[in-house]
Amino acid sequence: MIAGRKHAPQHLGRVLVLGLGKSGRAAVEYLLPLLGGRVDALAVAAGARTEESEAFAEAAAARGALVAFGDDAVAELAARACSADDRGGAARAAGAPAFDLGVPSPGIPPFSPLYVAAAASCGELASEVELAWRESAADSRWVAVTGTNGKTTVVSCAAHLLREAGLRADAVGNIGDPCIAAVAAGATDVYVAEASSYQLASTSAFAPDVAVLLNITPDHLHWHGTFEAYRDAKLKVLANLADAPRGVAVLDASNDVVRAEVRRLRALDAAERGFAYVPMGTADGMDGDMRARCGSDNAAFIADDGSLVAALDGREHALARADELAVKGAHNAGNALAAAAAALALGADEARVANGLRTFRPLEHRIEPCGSVRGAACYNDSKATNVDATLTALAAFPGARPLVLLGGDDKGTDLAPLVEAAHAHARGVVCFGAAGPRFATAFEADAPAAPVDFALECAEHLEDALDAALSLAGEGDVVLLSPACASFDEFGSYEERGRAFKALVADRAARAEA
């Protein structure tokens, strides 16, 4: 191993990078300069052809990489690598895999032909997050955040708190630069990584100093195949925590699935467990103290006066109150609590963490204030691409009954909880896009349970949906885009959808003032 790094072999051998998404391109950029030294051959199974991937592949090939497109790319690259051996490259032992290491992009499902071929052709598969951790400086520290909803907010908030505490911390992974690009840049001492289930599924040695495990609810089943596989991928964030000096897990104990893991950890002897854990909340919610409930050594919770409290190593830290946070909603108070607990676990000063909580601002597309039209406040929550996220947003406005825009690219999930929550918290919904008819049918079927003043409208596109909501809204109302769907029926991403919504709000506001 290379001295001064986490777990970086001096010789990587033949490396296969699978896919040319953001993380795949970053991995290739990191590995290309190692060709002829630590890397004997670099092969890139580029997946489907796009203008962007073809341009990148051409440039990588000019620098010595082997590149192939399509489902048969791995077999083609293995044959080409063997041919390189015949021309004087590093010879392979009989029966040895064609590649020593494979780095799969997170967008490639494990049952896809490309992934299956790579698994059969590589001695080891390691996600870009795993590769980055291994290659990072031995004295660097890592915070890994995973969960179904809230990851990006927690990562951004934790990085903000750590910077406020005077540390060189950056948000990396699914937010910010890919982990391996940040490691290559060498400008970070604390990597706060948003780690998806896709990335964690291909980890083996990854040992963050602090692991934050948020809620786990059904999602991405098309990639993992079963909820159990999805859950287990998330739980891998804890697998090597005992290998980190003074490792700490921050766990959302208000979530049933995560609370089961808390119970498992509590049953272990401290020496057997090998790391500390901080349960956030209890089965009753974030206002529960697990020390009082179950005798836990540590706990994080929201006190009766609204204060965010984290108790670690026998010391209780009372931080900012929930009503002092710029981010809205009880769920964001929980996200802030998770970030604060992670920062404190790394030794951040209590006063600086408290100040950082007060100065942290809402992220784009996450219950983001985006202006008002004739006195109605508009919020962009385009990141709410599943029902659970929208349920959270519906409860974020206790002083108002929002008019909610629902729809987009339908994920086919059960809508009963959404209808019930909308009836409880909203003044009406506008169902739009490809999912609009199914959503409207669900609300129509439960119409007898709706409040007498509950409005149900339908629209074809996002623009029509906003106009329909604004026609119902008056001074002091809230118009909320929280679609509970992906965006691909009308937009290329939830970011594009959110920015389109904000532009429409700005246009309607300008018209109203004209």
Side-chain angles (χ1 to χ4, degrees):
M1 297 294 167
I2 297 176
R5 300 199 193 178
K6 296 282 190 192
H7 192 76
Q10 294 185 11
H11 183 234
L12 292 167
R14 289 187 188 164
V15 182
L16 170 69
V17 174
L18 210 61
L20 281 181
K22 185 179 178 181
S23 64
R25 294 194 302 272
V28 171
E29 289 288 2
Y30 183 83
L31 294 164
L32 275 171
L34 305 181
L35 269 172
R38 295 177 65 200
V39 174
D40 295 331
L42 175 59
V44 181
R49 290 182 182 273
T50 66
E51 186 176 337
E52 183 180 21
S53 66
E54 286 187 336
F56 184 91
E58 183 179 351
R63 295 170 63 187
L66 306 174
V67 181
F69 287 88
D71 288 347
D72 296 327
V74 173
E76 178 185 336
L77 290 166
R80 290 168 64 186
C82 290
S83 177
D85 284 351
D86 295 341
R87 295 195 302 271
R92 313 296 287 175
F99 301 101
D100 299 285
L101 174 66
V103 184
S105 290
I108 300 175
F111 49 79
S112 68
L114 206 59
Y115 193 104
V116 171
S121 301
C122 295
E124 176 187 21
L125 291 180
S127 68
E128 177 259 333
V129 172
E130 170 90 14
L131 176 65
W133 177 84
R134 294 181 185 185
E135 296 287 312
S136 65
D139 60 356
S140 65
R141 292 185 288 174
W142 286 72
V143 177
V145 180
T146 195
T148 303
N149 294 307
K151 297 185 294 296
T152 300
T153 297
V154 172
V155 166
S156 299
C157 186
H160 173 76
L161 299 180
L162 291 166
R163 287 193 294 268
E164 287 287 303
L167 299 173
R168 290 200 311 169
D170 279 309
V172 298
N174 286 349
I175 176 174
D177 291 330
C179 297
I180 194 65
V183 168
T188 301
D189 295 327
V190 183
Y191 300 91
V192 186
E194 180 179 333
S196 71
S197 57
Y198 305 156
Q199 294 162 323
L200 289 169
S202 297
T203 57
S204 57
F206 181 48
D209 299 88
V210 179
V212 180
L213 182 59
L214 304 173
N215 51 84
I216 300 179
T217 58
D219 202 7
H220 302 304
L221 302 190
H222 64 287
W223 197 95
H224 291 279
T226 66
F227 173 71
E228 289 73 22
Y230 172 66
R231 175 202 62 199
D232 292 347
K234 293 288 189 187
L235 292 176
K236 286 188 76 174
V237 76
L238 307 175
N240 304 306
L241 203 56
D243 296 335
R246 294 179 58 81
V248 177
V250 178
L251 307 164
D252 179 1
S254 71
N255 175 262
D256 291 347
V257 178
V258 179
R259 192 168 58 258
E261 182 66 9
V262 172
R263 287 196 295 269
R264 187 188 72 81
L265 294 173
R266 188 175 66 240
L268 299 175
D269 178 82
E272 182 183 5
R273 188 174 60 245
F275 59 87
Y277 69 96
V278 183
M280 295 199 315
T282 66
D284 297 328
M286 279 294 157
D287 55 353
D289 181 347
M290 195 65 91
R291 294 174 303 171
R293 174 64 64 88
C294 298
S296 173
D297 292 334
N298 307 301
F301 57 95
I302 300 174
D304 291 341
D305 67 352
S307 296
L308 276 61
V309 178
L312 290 85
D313 296 329
R315 181 180 175 187
E316 187 167 289
H317 305 268
L319 306 165
R321 295 193 316 275
D323 61 9
E324 295 180 286
L325 304 178
V327 290
K328 293 186 69 66
H331 70 295
N332 272 326
N335 289 336
L337 182 63
L344 291 167
L346 283 184
D349 176 73
E350 176 185 310
R352 291 190 173 191
V353 170
N355 184 64
L357 287 171
R358 296 184 184 99
T359 58
F360 179 66
R361 292 291 175 262
L363 300 180
E364 189 177 21
H365 314 303
R366 293 162 176 83
I367 316 185
E368 173 197 9
C370 58
S372 62
V373 181
R374 295 187 301 276
C378 298
Y379 289 83
N380 164 32
D381 191 38
S382 184
K383 180 61 174 66
T385 58
N386 57 49
V387 167
D388 284 333
T390 298
L391 295 180
T392 297
L394 284 169
F397 299 89
R401 294 173 64 205
L403 294 155
V404 188
L405 280 59
L406 299 170
D409 184 19
D410 198 345
K411 290 188 173 181
T413 50
D414 179 17
L415 299 181
L418 179 64
V419 173
E420 181 180 359
H423 286 163
H425 296 289
R427 187 159 74 82
V429 298
V430 182
C431 303
F432 72 97
R438 189 172 83 92
F439 276 53
T441 298
F443 278 95
E444 289 165 354
D446 202 40
V452 293
D453 62 344
F454 188 85
L456 172 61
E457 300 286 340
C458 297
E460 188 171 356
H461 300 294
L462 176 62
E463 181 172 7
D464 311 321
L466 173 61
D467 288 339
L470 290 173
S471 71
L472 299 171
E475 180 82 25
D477 277 333
V478 169
V479 174
L480 170 66
L481 170 66
S482 189
C485 287
S487 60
F488 305 122
D489 62 330
E490 189 175 353
F491 302 98
S493 65
Y494 74 80
E495 295 97 337
E496 182 184 345
R497 175 174 62 192
R499 288 170 190 146
F501 178 74
K502 291 192 291 183
L504 288 167
V505 169
D507 174 74
R508 276 23 177 205
R511 291 188 194 180
E513 294 172 2

